[in-house]
């Protein structure tokens, strides 16, 4: 039974890894743009980050099930939350 559990865990990890790589590749240009902005400003707000995403793209991904609420919340953060490159 331990072998079956290990196999299932490996499957979950492999699938999650593949999905993470797919998402990173899909948004690689945006990620580079955000990195450049962080180098320039050191601190950016959620509003700064949302400017990189087309209007409604996150809502559509949520509706279609391509993104979870938790993932979307990373981008739909309250304006008071600040990403600090110096502390990353």
């Amino acid at each position: 039974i331990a072998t079956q559990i290990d196999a299932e865990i490996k499957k979950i990890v492999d699938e999650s890894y593949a999905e993470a790589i797919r998402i990173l590749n899909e948004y690689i240009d945006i990620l580079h743009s955000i990195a450049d902005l962080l180098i320039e400003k050191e601190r950016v707000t959620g509003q700064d980050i949302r400017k990189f995403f087309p209007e409604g793209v996150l809502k559509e991904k949520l509706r279609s099930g391509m993104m979870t609420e938790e993932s979307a919340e990373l981008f739909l953060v309250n304006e008071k939350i600040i990403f600090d490159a110096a502390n990353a």
Side-chain angles (χ1 to χ4, degrees), residues 37-38 40-45 48 82-87:
L37 181 64
L38 281 166
E40 177 186 324
K41 292 177 69 174
E42 289 189 7
R43 291 179 180 226
V44 296
T45 65
D48 292 330
I82 295 175
F83 295 87
D84 189 345
N87 294 326

Side-chain angles (χ1 to χ4, degrees), residues 54-65 67 72 76:
E55 184 66 34
V57 71
L58 296 176
K59 289 180 184 176
E60 176 58 30
K61 287 189 179 293
L62 274 170
R63 192 176 61 73
S64 69
M67 180 177 272
L76 301 173

Side-chain angles (χ1 to χ4, degrees), residues 3-79:
T3 304
Q4 291 173 329
I5 292 171
D6 288 345
E8 188 62 29
I9 289 171
K10 182 176 181 349
K11 177 183 169 194
I12 291 168
V13 169
D14 289 347
E15 289 172 356
S16 298
Y17 178 81
E19 178 67 5
I21 295 300
R22 185 194 66 73
I23 291 168
L24 289 171
N25 286 329
E26 181 178 351
Y27 293 105
I28 194 71
D29 293 336
I30 292 173
L31 293 172
H32 285 292
S33 296
I34 292 170
D36 291 341
L37 181 64
L38 281 166
I39 290 168
E40 177 186 324
K41 292 177 69 174
E42 289 189 7
R43 291 179 180 226
V44 296
T45 65
Q47 183 178 19
D48 292 330
I49 291 174
R50 282 194 295 280
K51 290 177 185 176
F52 289 97
F53 292 89
E55 184 66 34
V57 71
L58 296 176
K59 289 180 184 176
E60 176 58 30
K61 287 189 179 293
L62 274 170
R63 192 176 61 73
S64 69
M66 292 179 66
M67 180 177 272
T68 65
E69 286 282 340
E70 294 81 17
S71 297
E73 200 164 309
L74 291 173
F75 299 102
L76 301 173
V77 293
N78 184 294
E79 300 305 327

